[in-house]
Amino acid sequence: MSNEFGYIPESPEQSFGNNKGIFTPTDIYDLTRADKYTNYGQLELIETQTFSGVSTVDFTSIDESTYNVHFMTLNNIQHTGGLDTTMIQLYESGVLETASVYQYGHQYNEAGGSNGELRSTGLNRIYWSYNNNGTTQDARDSENGYIYFYNLGDSTKYSFTTHQELFTDFGAMKMSFGSGVLPQASTVDGIRLIMNNGENTSGTASLYGIKEYS
């Protein structure tokens, strides 16, 4: 590690919100690792899971007391069991909420011109994708996108999600976006991705925390 951080022979004390000097890439890397480089909203990886032949994927160590906002990326999600959908459920204090208490609104558009919406004030999960016929019909088909989660660790607030995803179905492009809420003030300490049909889903999901500073 460089002790100078842009200064010779003496370097000023560095801290978040108070960086002085001309920094090399190595300086920035070292300061970031030491939590001393000003970089608002940086992503910090919590866990990556690569899976195959499953119907659910659980993230049960999400550092909810550290992060108020979580960010999940989903890459190359493929369903081999036919018509399927990827959705979200949440754990409250270690207990999976499966009752029809979730609310969501979801809009979709397709390259062929179709569009529409899905919505509910009482479902047992939140939609991320919708009606993907899967690789049984076309081996190239996959889902890709992201989800933001808000207030998961705050027991005084509801837990919200926003999301966007893009996928191909029979080789045709489809996209959707939407939001959801678990309208219960509770501590959410886990996230489940659940498939609507079958046990034949593969892909990669990564969960990050978005760092905040007071």
Side-chain angles (χ1 to χ4, degrees):
M1 175 188 289
S2 168
N3 291 320
E4 302 305 327
F5 295 122
Y7 280 83
I8 299 176
E10 295 181 358
S11 62
E13 181 68 25
Q14 304 290 343
S15 62
F16 185 88
N18 186 31
N19 296 128
K20 300 180 180 68
I22 300 173
F23 302 101
T24 68
T26 299
D27 290 336
I28 294 172
Y29 174 78
D30 289 338
L31 283 168
T32 299
R33 293 193 65 189
D35 200 24
K36 294 182 178 181
Y37 188 71
T38 306
N39 184 16
Y40 293 101
Q42 67 195 54
L43 295 177
E44 299 187 334
L45 179 64
I46 297 173
E47 183 181 7
T48 293
Q49 294 193 46
T50 298
F51 44 89
S52 179
V54 302
S55 59
T56 61
V57 179
D58 286 326
F59 289 83
T60 55
S61 297
I62 66 171
D63 292 343
E64 72 280 356
S65 62
T66 301
Y67 304 106
N68 187 54
V69 181
H70 291 74
F71 178 69
M72 180 181 288
T73 60
L74 297 98
N75 181 48
N76 199 33
I77 307 300
Q78 294 187 306
H79 308 290
T80 60
L83 187 65
D84 215 333
T85 302
T86 305
M87 295 187 264
I88 306 159
Q89 292 178 325
L90 300 175
Y91 285 87
E92 297 174 294
S93 299
V95 178
L96 184 65
E97 179 57 270
T98 59
S100 297
V101 295
Y102 298 90
Q103 300 179 21
Y104 78 96
H106 182 100
Q107 293 190 330
Y108 63 87
N109 293 277
E110 302 178 358
S114 298
N115 59 78
E117 67 178 24
L118 303 168
R119 53 190 170 87
S120 177
T121 58
L123 194 69
N124 64 349
R125 57 194 73 182
I126 297 169
Y127 275 85
W128 178 65
S129 67
Y130 72 101
N131 293 355
N132 187 349
N133 284 285
T135 57
T136 300
Q137 285 71 32
D138 192 322
R140 301 168 296 176
D141 286 346
S142 69
E143 302 169 351
N144 301 274
Y146 60 82
I147 310 165
Y148 282 95
F149 300 87
Y150 305 91
N151 305 328
L152 297 188
D154 191 335
S155 63
T156 68
K157 296 179 180 179
Y158 294 169
S159 295
F160 293 87
T161 70
T162 62
H163 65 265
Q164 184 164 335
E165 61 105 12
L166 171 71
F167 69 97
T168 51
D169 189 20
F170 289 109
M173 189 278 289
K174 300 180 179 181
M175 63 82 63
S176 65
F177 61 92
S179 299
V181 62
L182 175 58
Q184 300 173 167
S186 61
T187 299
V188 170
D189 55 4
I191 299 166
R192 166 168 284 188
L193 301 177
I194 181 168
M195 316 312 159
N196 195 45
N197 296 303
E199 298 181 352
N200 296 289
T201 295
S202 62
T204 300
S206 295
L207 181 66
Y208 300 84
I210 298 182
K211 190 163 188 176
E212 296 181 348
Y213 295 88
S214 59

